[in-house]
Amino acid sequence: MGRRKSGRDVSGVILLDKPLAVTSNAALQQVRRFFNANKAGHTGALDPLATGLLPLCFGEATKVSHFALEADKTYQVTAQLGVRTTTSDAEGEVVSQQPVTVDEATIRSLLPEFEGEQSQSPSMYSALKYEGRPLYYYARLGIDVPRKTRTIHIRSIQFLDFSNDQLKLEVTCSKGTYIRTLIDDLGQRLGCGAHVAALHRTWIEGVEGPWVTIDDLAALAPNREEPEPDYAAIEVMLQPNDCVIQQLPTLYIGGAEVGKFCSGNPARWPAETAVGETDFWRIVRQEDGCFLGIGWHRDGHVIPKRVLNGIPLI
């Protein structure tokens, strides 16, 4: 006998403005309870210290959430100069303190050095795992373990403000970039040390739609103690399943090809659409714009990569 589902079949995306001091998973579980959804996930965690855009995917939207993980992102970061910590953020223990003698001109002149493709090693206080345990487990025991260096790309670093030894920057970067490591490296280069005092994610490539807060959703959530809770008001806040992959090019298919694709079979590639150089396409029904899934081109056909269930017939 199969395991019974817990909750409702809900599909769509909530673009959450994550609050301070809440883990991404805690925020996800709270919003999931508002919808009583049986399937949910987020598209890349934000530390409790960080705030800002956190897409939460429900139901069929979880099938495409991986593509949001691959996207570039923009952060506004406040760096506290003069203080270096174990975690490179405000939650860590102070490692060293140095007087801040740099000026704005010096900072501006150094920022271009940190742009472009580079190698970066994660902090020992990250959640990446080594032999089945997160790195922060070993860090708390004082054990140093090997860390994999990854290649990242800092697209741009924009100077925003510098006052009272706090430096504000806007950073656009590739997936896998550790802003904490970037700020620690910058502090070392400036000769005074630095750590992240505040971090706010403002943009994710391909994600479009209005943000909402936990308070917004709480005000609309039904009382689940009622015999038949009414979820209509809160479901209005859900964004389309594909609102997190708008960076992918759109391929329109129609007629019998829709049935083939939705059954997991190759569909004929529309003759009027050039193949291009992209790997994946957002597949949309020509007749009504309904999002069907993600596919890729091979031998004149579109091959399903992810197919959504429950597509309404027309």
Side-chain angles (χ1 to χ4, degrees):
M1 183 174 174
R3 182 180 175 183
R4 293 184 62 186
K5 289 184 178 181
S6 174
R8 304 162 57 242
D9 289 327
V10 179
S11 287
V13 179
I14 289 293
L15 301 181
L16 185 69
D17 187 356
K18 190 190 85 67
L20 185 67
V22 176
T23 68
S24 293
N25 187 61
L28 171 67
Q29 296 308 323
Q30 185 172 359
V31 175
R32 182 179 184 173
R33 287 192 293 272
F34 291 156
F35 286 91
N36 191 23
N38 62 38
K39 187 176 183 181
H42 58 66
T43 62
L46 285 171
D47 291 340
L49 175 74
T51 61
L53 180 56
L54 178 66
L56 307 179
C57 297
F58 297 93
E60 294 299 288
T62 61
K63 293 182 176 180
V64 302
S65 60
H66 168 75
F67 293 87
L69 292 172
E70 304 292 316
D72 287 354
K73 299 171 179 68
T74 297
Y75 299 87
Q76 288 188 355
V77 55
T78 300
Q80 176 64 59
L81 303 189
V83 181
R84 197 180 188 199
T85 72
T86 52
T87 59
S88 301
D89 64 21
E91 296 182 337
E93 298 177 4
V94 175
V95 172
S96 63
Q97 291 183 272
Q98 299 285 338
V100 180
T101 59
V102 297
D103 56 17
E104 179 179 323
T106 301
I107 294 170
R108 285 182 179 272
S109 68
L110 286 177
L111 292 182
E113 295 183 14
F114 292 87
E115 294 181 332
E117 189 173 286
Q118 57 201 267
S119 296
Q120 191 182 68
S121 296
S123 163
M124 274 297 296
Y125 282 82
S126 77
L128 288 181
K129 291 187 176 181
Y130 175 77
E131 295 187 348
R133 293 184 182 274
L135 291 178
Y136 60 73
Y137 168 83
Y138 299 100
R140 289 167 181 167
L141 295 177
I143 302 172
D144 194 21
V145 298
R147 287 165 284 167
K148 290 184 178 180
T149 298
R150 61 177 63 181
T151 300
I152 63 164
H153 196 125
I154 303 295
R155 312 292 183 191
S156 68
I157 304 179
Q158 300 294 324
F159 178 95
L160 298 180
D161 184 53
F162 179 50
S163 60
N164 299 321
D165 294 342
Q166 287 199 333
L167 171 63
K168 294 184 179 181
L169 304 171
E170 183 172 86
V171 180
T172 298
C173 54
S174 66
K175 71 166 186 172
T177 300
Y178 289 98
I179 301 297
R180 289 183 297 173
T181 300
L182 171 66
I183 294 303
D184 184 70
D185 291 344
L186 176 60
Q188 294 300 97
R189 184 70 178 83
L190 292 170
C192 59
H195 68 268
V196 173
L199 186 65
H200 184 67
R201 186 156 68 193
T202 61
W203 176 80
I204 301 176
E205 180 188 17
V207 176
E208 296 181 4
W211 301 14
V212 298
T213 67
I214 288 179
D215 288 343
D216 293 334
L217 297 170
L220 297 172
N223 181 358
R224 288 175 54 185
E225 300 301 320
E226 295 178 355
E228 295 184 10
D230 185 359
Y231 292 91
I234 195 171
E235 287 186 352
V236 170
M237 308 299 282
L238 286 168
Q239 300 300 307
N241 293 321
D242 60 341
C243 78
V244 294
I245 55 168
Q246 294 298 301
Q247 78 277 23
L248 298 182
T250 304
L251 180 71
Y252 293 93
I253 61 175
E257 304 310 310
V258 171
K260 295 175 185 177
F261 181 86
C262 290
S263 299
N265 297 312
R268 187 171 65 252
W269 190 273
E272 67 276 11
T273 303
V275 174
E277 298 180 357
T278 186
D279 291 328
F280 297 109
W281 294 69
R282 192 164 51 95
I283 312 303
V284 172
R285 183 161 54 194
Q286 188 171 22
E287 288 80 359
D288 63 352
C290 179
F291 173 59
L292 306 176
I294 294 173
W296 52 283
H297 176 269
R298 187 182 69 191
D299 299 331
H301 290 82
V302 53
I303 310 301
K305 174 70 174 178
R306 294 284 186 272
V307 177
L308 271 60
N309 295 325
I311 299 299
L313 299 176
I314 59 172

